[in-house]
C-alpha cells in the first residue's frame, strides 16, 4: 500500500452540513456550515466554526444565539444557496422559500422545513485562525412528527439527511450496521433480533449473507 504525504489540510470527511439560522434587530439570516459537531453530552453542547468576515458571524457573536437546522436531500439546493450568497445582499428566507418559525428559547428562527432544529446559546468563542469556533449549549430540540411512529419513536434516518465531502453533497448510503454490532453474537443483528435460519446453512452463514448481501 503506497501513500503520498501532503501538507496539512482539512481532509476529515464526510461532515454534516447544516443551515444555521440567526437573527438580530429583526434581521434574519441563514449560513451554511460544515465545520460543526457534537462536543459534549452532559450538558448537551455542540460547536460551529465560522469565518469572522461572514455576515452571520457578527449576528451570532452579538446575540449569543443560533439554531442548527439539519439538511435533507430536499433542502440541499437551499442549503447550497445559503452558503454562496451573503445575507448582506439577499433575504435568504425569501429567496429559498424556507419558513422562519418561532423558537422556544432563542430569538433566532428555526427553519420549518428542516426535520430537526437545535436551539443553541453561545458559551464561548474560541479564536482559531481562519475560523472562530462557537461553543454552544443546546437549549432545546424540535423534531418533525412526520418521522415519528405511533409509539413516538423518532427515526431521523428516514428524513434523507445529507453530508458534505470535499466540496460535494451526498445522500446517506445503505445501512451497514448499528452501534455495537461488531461484538454481537452471530445469529443476532445489531438490533438484537434473532434471524431465521436458512435451510442448509449454519446460523452465522445465513446471518452474514443477509447482513452483507453475500451469496
Amino acid at each position: 500500500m503506497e501513500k503520498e504525504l501532503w501538507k496539512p489540510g482539512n481532509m476529515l470527511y464526510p461532515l454534516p452540513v447544516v443551515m444555521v439560522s440567526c437573527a438580530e434587530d429583526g434581521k434574519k439570516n441563514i449560513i451554511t456550515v460544515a465545520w460543526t459537531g457534537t462536543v459534549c453530552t452532559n450538558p448537551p453542547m455542540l460547536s460551529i466554526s465560522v469565518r469572522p468576515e461572514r455576515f452571520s458571524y457578527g449576528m451570532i457573536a452579538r446575540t449569543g444565539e443560533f439554531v442548527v437546522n439539519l439538511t435533507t436531500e430536499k433542502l440541499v439546493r437551499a442549503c447550497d444557496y445559503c452558503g454562496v450568497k451573503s445575507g448582506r445582499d439577499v433575504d435568504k428566507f425569501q429567496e429559498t422559500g424556507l419558513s422562519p418559525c418561532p423558537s422556544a428559547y432563542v430569538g433566532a428562527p428555526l427553519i420549518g422545513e428542516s426535520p430537526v432544529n437545535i436551539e443553541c446559546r453561545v458559551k464561548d468563542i474560541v479564536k482559531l485562525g481562519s475560523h472562530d469556533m462557537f461553543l454552544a449549549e443546546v437549549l432545546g430540540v424540535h423534531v418533525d412528527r412526520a418521522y415519528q411512529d405511533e409509539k413516538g419513536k423518532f427515526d431521523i434516518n428516514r428524513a434523507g439527511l445529507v453530508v458534505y465531502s470535499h466540496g460535494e453533497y451526498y445522500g446517506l448510503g445503505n445501512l451497514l450496521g448499528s452501534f455495537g454490532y461488531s461484538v454481537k453474537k452471530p445469529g443476532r443483528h445489531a438490533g438484537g433480533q434473532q434471524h431465521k435460519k436458512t435451510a442448509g446453512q449454519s446460523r452465522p452463514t445465513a446471518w452474514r449473507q443477509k447482513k452483507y448481501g453475500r451469496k
Side-chain angles (χ1 to χ4, degrees):
M1 192 178 300
E2 187 176 354
K3 297 285 187 177
E4 181 176 325
L5 180 62
W6 288 5
K7 66 179 182 180
N10 293 322
M11 290 293 288
L12 181 61
Y13 293 110
L15 299 166
V17 57
V18 299
M19 291 179 285
V20 175
S21 48
C22 51
E24 183 182 27
D25 297 331
K27 174 74 172 181
K28 302 181 294 291
N29 196 41
I30 306 169
I31 180 174
T32 300
V33 172
W35 291 183
T36 182
T38 298
V39 296
C40 188
T41 299
N42 186 23
M45 295 182 68
L46 56 78
S47 71
I48 62 171
S49 291
V50 182
R51 291 180 181 273
E53 60 266 26
R54 296 293 297 270
F55 181 65
S56 293
Y57 179 96
M59 301 174 77
I60 295 171
R62 289 187 292 269
T63 64
E65 299 176 341
F66 60 89
V67 179
V68 171
N69 307 272
L70 300 194
T71 301
T72 66
E73 293 182 16
K74 292 181 179 180
L75 297 174
V76 70
R77 188 176 183 86
C79 180
D80 183 70
Y81 181 92
C82 292
V84 297
K85 291 290 187 178
S86 174
R88 295 184 180 92
D89 306 318
V90 298
D91 182 332
K92 296 183 185 180
F93 278 101
Q94 181 177 335
E95 294 298 319
T96 60
L98 296 175
S99 306
C101 300
S103 297
Y105 301 104
V106 300
L110 55 86
I111 297 175
E113 290 77 10
S114 175
V116 177
N117 318 93
I118 307 168
E119 296 190 45
C120 301
R121 180 165 295 143
V122 176
K123 303 295 288 185
D124 194 13
I125 303 175
V126 183
K127 295 187 177 296
L128 301 172
S130 63
H131 292 65
D132 287 357
M133 181 171 63
F134 292 92
L135 286 172
E137 185 173 357
V138 175
L139 303 180
V141 179
H142 303 255
V143 299
D144 192 331
R145 290 177 178 172
Y147 304 106
Q148 288 180 296
D149 62 20
E150 63 279 1
K151 295 182 179 180
K153 182 179 179 180
F154 184 66
D155 187 0
I156 184 58
N157 294 314
R158 290 197 296 111
L161 299 176
V162 299
V163 295
Y164 179 82
S165 183
H166 205 54
E168 298 176 320
Y169 307 100
Y170 289 90
L172 298 183
N174 296 328
L175 174 65
L176 302 178
S178 58
F179 182 75
Y181 87 100
S182 62
V183 296
K184 290 188 179 295
K185 294 181 180 179
R188 292 180 178 273
H189 64 45
Q193 298 297 319
Q194 189 78 31
H195 284 295
K196 293 182 180 179
K197 186 176 180 180
T198 302
Q201 295 176 334
S202 66
R203 182 175 297 161
T205 300
W207 174 77
R208 284 194 296 269
Q209 289 183 359
K210 186 172 183 181
K211 184 73 175 176
Y212 300 106
R214 289 199 291 265
K215 295 182 179 179

